Amino acid sequence: MNVAENTFSRYRLEIEQGFWGRDAILCKQVFGFYIGNSMRFDFNKLFLMTLSIFSSCAFGWAEEEVERPAASAESIEYFEKKVRPLLVKHCYSCHSSEAKTVHGGLKLDTAHDFFEVGGDSGAVVIPGNPEESLLIAAIRYDDDADTEMPPKGKISDTEIAELTAWVKRGAPFPPDENPVARESKEIDFAAAKKFWSFVPVKKQADPAVEHSKWPQQRLDHFVLAAMEREQLSPAPEADRATLLRRLAYDLTGLPPTPDEVEAFVNDASPNAYEKQVDQLLQSSQFGERWARVWLDLARYTDRTASWLDSKGQAHLYRDWVVQAMNDDVPYDEFIHRQLATDLMPETGPEDSPALGFIGLSPTYWKELKLPSEIIKVIVADEWEERVDVVSRTFLGLTVACARCHDHKFDPVTMQDYYALAGVFASSRLTGRPLIDEEEFEPVRKARAEVKKLQDQLANLKKKKPLPKEEIAELNTKIKEVKESTPLYDSPMAAGLIEEALYIERKGKTAQEGTNLVYKAGSQDLNLFIRGNPNRLGDVVPRRFLQVLSNETSQPFRNGSGRLELAQSITNDAAPLAARVMVNRIWLSYFGRGLVETPSNFGISGERPSHPKLLDDLAARFIENGWSLKTLHREIVLSATYRQSSKKDGPDLQRDPDNLWLSRMNRKRLGVEAWRDAMLAVSGELDSTIGGPSLALTDDANHRRTLYGTIHRRDMSTMLLMHDFPDPTAHNAQRLSTTTALQGLYALNGPLLLNRAEALAKRLATEFPDEDEKRIQQAYKLLFSRPPTPREIEIGLAFLTGISDKSSPETWAQYTHVLLASNEFLFIN
């Protein structure tokens, strides 16, 4: 044995015997990594690398140790939903505290074991570096990997990609010290019901405040009390022009006109602001602006992959949401209709579009030539998606994390998950008419006949030579059937019917393919062991979540259970559902929620910054009949909302993130409001409400962006570039990024170029040969304020810089600069 090998062995022995104290674990990780990868390195290089690291560990030669950053609540949610199920499925039988024998000394169910202890080969993951992580090499079956995992066979490419992406994003993992991690398999539901978001809401007493004249609404007392506790003071109220611009965008998604700003600024009546609020709340544009907030949660799409069957006209759901917002449909009823309007005697077929919340769910291709065992997994994934979107949207809980195992944090069991999954296993996605069933029955028969004739027609067109007479005859028959059937073209909404899906083998062997069999009625699902639908446990009756149920709650008996589920959300879980929705509205106004994890009110989510305020708002939300407009009105009338966004001094140092709301947050316009505002100021906006979507790539499309086509598999480049959410999944909160591509789009994109030309033409029409008045009007249109003398001077210098007279081309360049400015993009 040479000197290097001898020293190497001595280090290893000292580490194992603990001579290196608290650094032993880190050194063991490094040692294990290099030994595990010894085939990749020359031995002498390996020794020198390891010696250097060991010396730093043992003798403190390294700089301060860098710890893994704490995982955010969002990252933990991602891990529990996407990553842990894969570890449970493929790894935990051999690599967890529950394994009969822990193979390779490696456990993967706690952060301590995963990242600090590792296995016999050391750490298996290097956060952010999948190419050097043993786990990724093992699951890829790399040629130079010491082991191939799982040993029984390679996992799917999709699963490998998911685990690789997880490591690349830093391998977020719930910390072991989190007090919510459960050691026992049994859940104490009595204790769990005492968690802050599960307990009943109640109106709170107004807290004492020093500046008692500042509050304008009840909520202001709670905000001011928190400010004063933190030694902060409110910002002054924003000036009227700024306030109206903010209010108009927040309530309608559109800028105010110069005439509206002037009228408000000059209105001396004591209730001038209240009049503006009420007028905007009654505007039809209110529903368009706030429908988009809901559609993010509902993962709305107009189109999906061409190879998937269309279940109805998607835009009918979007238009239903717009109308529901404008009509101030009570939120509890809003929930009921979206989950089960077809089961409610008080609603009719005209409400069928409401079912688009589930009816537009993502569906996955099912190649029925494949074995039923594979198709069962695909269908189970669809059920999981529906459980996930319902639980996160209405309850702020990540129930889908319990598909493979009891929830690692929240008091949600696998039985809870399959109790809800059974509801959606008993509901079939299909188109629903907007007319009574009696009226639609002849239409159904006629459409079936037309479908049969069209199939015959398709077969005839394959023949050579073409049988022209037969083709003409069939076309005539098709036309006659359509014209002779009243209401033949009646629209169909994407919805649901009460049918249960069963996946069966087509023959006696798996190789013969699969049949999808729908049967009237409902079904209770078996629990899927480790989330695998081919390994069945006990049958789980359909019911509501145990932790949110009261003592008298019963299993669902009314068909699929969708109506009972909806009623449970607004009865048993009313406190939670109210808190979640109030927080979503607050988030939209202030840019951050009272709870910063808007779709996770569970134990791994954030705690509320103003808990009494949230409780008081939620209690009064319910007391006021779940009226959303009443909630909106209180927020925008509040002194908290009316504050200026400009503030300096010690308050900025005490609260740089504005957690305590001592000023208004400056906000960036979403892509919809940004595009709509360009159309509005250029005079091109088509304000027609509702109807089928139009492509956003068509420059002749001057409708609001809400009506632009959303394609689940082929998103608009403009939307993707400007932070539009993925329509395949529930989106709790818009991100706001600033990228070079956005800048290039603003400079060169057809949207701004064409709107700049249109705005220049509008100004030229309104003020011929009056450059200064045009500049003044441009500023009033875009920024809701007049330009300063210096801004006029700069504008005139630019417009007449080449010649003594401005040209249309120069004006288009000038308006382009204004449209691309930050002041147009942001709301103060």
Side-chain angles (χ1 to χ4, degrees), residues 228-239:
E228 292 178 346
R229 185 187 67 235
E230 301 296 324
Q231 299 181 338
L232 300 169
S233 58
E237 184 171 309
D239 66 82

Side-chain angles (χ1 to χ4, degrees), residues 401-517:
C401 292
R403 172 179 169 179
C404 304
H405 51 78
D406 288 351
H407 203 293
K408 291 296 180 182
F409 300 99
D410 297 338
V412 177
T413 64
M414 287 184 73
Q415 287 79 6
D416 284 325
Y417 171 82
Y418 287 100
L420 295 186
V423 173
F424 301 105
S426 303
S427 305
R428 180 181 184 179
L429 273 60
T430 189
R432 293 189 65 103
L434 306 189
I435 56 178
D436 291 332
E437 189 60 34
E438 290 183 5
E439 292 180 290
F440 185 69
E441 185 56 31
V443 176
R444 180 182 287 110
K445 291 179 179 178
R447 288 180 178 179
E449 184 178 352
V450 167
K451 176 66 168 59
K452 184 178 179 180
L453 293 172
Q454 288 174 335
D455 290 342
Q456 294 176 16
L457 187 63
N459 290 329
L460 285 177
K461 289 181 177 180
K462 295 176 183 177
K463 293 184 177 181
K464 292 184 179 180
L466 283 175
K468 295 182 180 180
E469 292 184 4
E470 293 180 61
I471 290 175
E473 184 179 346
L474 280 176
N475 279 326
T476 300
K477 286 183 179 180
I478 291 171
K479 183 178 179 181
E480 288 175 352
V481 172
K482 289 182 177 180
E483 291 179 348
S484 64
T485 306
L487 302 174
Y488 181 86
D489 293 322
S490 178
M492 302 288 285
L496 304 166
I497 57 174
E498 297 283 273
E499 287 186 3
L501 172 59
Y502 299 85
I503 299 96
E504 300 176 354
R505 283 185 176 179
K506 187 170 287 187
K508 294 182 179 180
T509 64
Q511 288 70 29
E512 296 179 71
T514 303
N515 282 328
L516 300 180
V517 180

Side-chain angles (χ1 to χ4, degrees), residues 136-157:
I136 303 304
I139 62 174
R140 286 175 176 170
Y141 281 37
D142 285 353
D143 293 337
D144 55 356
D146 290 341
T147 56
E148 295 177 342
M149 291 293 168
K152 293 182 179 180
K154 190 176 180 182
I155 65 177
S156 71
D157 291 342

Side-chain angles (χ1 to χ4, degrees), residues 8-53:
F8 212 68
S9 298
R10 179 168 58 82
Y11 279 152
R12 180 176 186 177
L13 180 63
E14 290 178 354
I15 291 171
E16 296 294 344
Q17 293 179 351
F19 292 163
W20 290 33
R22 65 179 181 85
D23 298 306
I25 291 175
L26 175 60
C27 293
K28 183 179 178 182
Q29 285 186 50
V30 177
F31 180 88
F33 169 71
Y34 285 117
I35 290 296
N37 291 274
S38 59
M39 297 299 292
R40 305 184 189 184
F41 301 100
D42 171 81
F43 184 86
N44 288 326
K45 183 179 180 182
L46 172 67
F47 169 71
L48 292 173
M49 293 166 70
T50 311
L51 175 61
S52 174
I53 299 295

Side-chain angles (χ1 to χ4, degrees), residues 193-370:
K193 288 174 182 284
K194 297 178 182 178
F195 185 65
W196 75 266
S197 65
F198 301 158
V199 299
V201 291
K202 60 180 180 179
K203 292 169 66 175
Q204 304 289 316
D206 285 356
V209 293
E210 293 181 16
H211 300 83
S212 57
K213 294 183 179 180
W214 183 77
Q216 298 287 327
Q217 296 291 312
R218 184 180 173 90
L219 70 86
D220 291 323
H221 294 272
F222 298 93
V223 174
L224 181 59
M227 278 192 228
E228 292 178 346
R229 185 187 67 235
E230 301 296 324
Q231 299 181 338
L232 300 169
S233 58
E237 184 171 309
D239 66 82
R240 282 202 167 188
T242 298
L243 199 53
L244 183 59
R245 185 171 189 263
R246 177 193 303 171
L247 187 68
Y249 273 117
D250 276 345
L251 289 182
T252 69
L254 293 171
T257 67
D259 289 344
E260 289 169 341
V261 174
E262 183 177 1
F264 177 55
V265 168
N266 295 323
D267 188 346
S269 62
N271 63 338
Y273 183 69
E274 287 81 355
K275 287 190 297 185
Q276 288 292 330
V277 168
D278 291 337
Q279 179 179 329
L280 292 170
L281 282 171
Q282 294 306 313
S283 163
S284 57
Q285 284 77 40
F286 171 83
E288 293 177 309
R289 186 277 187 254
W290 284 93
R292 185 61 256 178
V293 174
W294 186 260
L295 295 178
D296 281 7
L297 305 172
R299 72 277 190 259
Y300 173 77
T301 186
D302 291 288
R303 297 180 188 171
T304 187
S306 59
W307 34 264
L308 291 172
D309 292 336
S310 174
K311 303 301 181 184
Q313 298 178 40
H315 74 271
L316 296 173
Y317 173 67
R318 176 244 291 148
D319 293 348
W320 181 89
V321 175
V322 171
Q323 193 61 48
M325 293 292 179
N326 279 331
D327 292 345
D328 196 20
V329 172
Y331 183 61
D332 57 345
E333 187 177 338
F334 185 68
I335 294 174
H336 296 170
R337 292 193 197 182
Q338 290 183 85
L339 293 180
T341 194
D342 55 318
L343 304 176
M344 298 168 62
E346 64 270 30
T347 63
E350 68 280 358
D351 252 326
S352 293
L355 297 172
F357 183 83
I358 300 297
L360 292 173
S361 296
T363 54
Y364 313 129
W365 176 252
K366 304 168 191 71
E367 176 50 71
L368 298 182
K369 294 180 182 179
L370 293 172

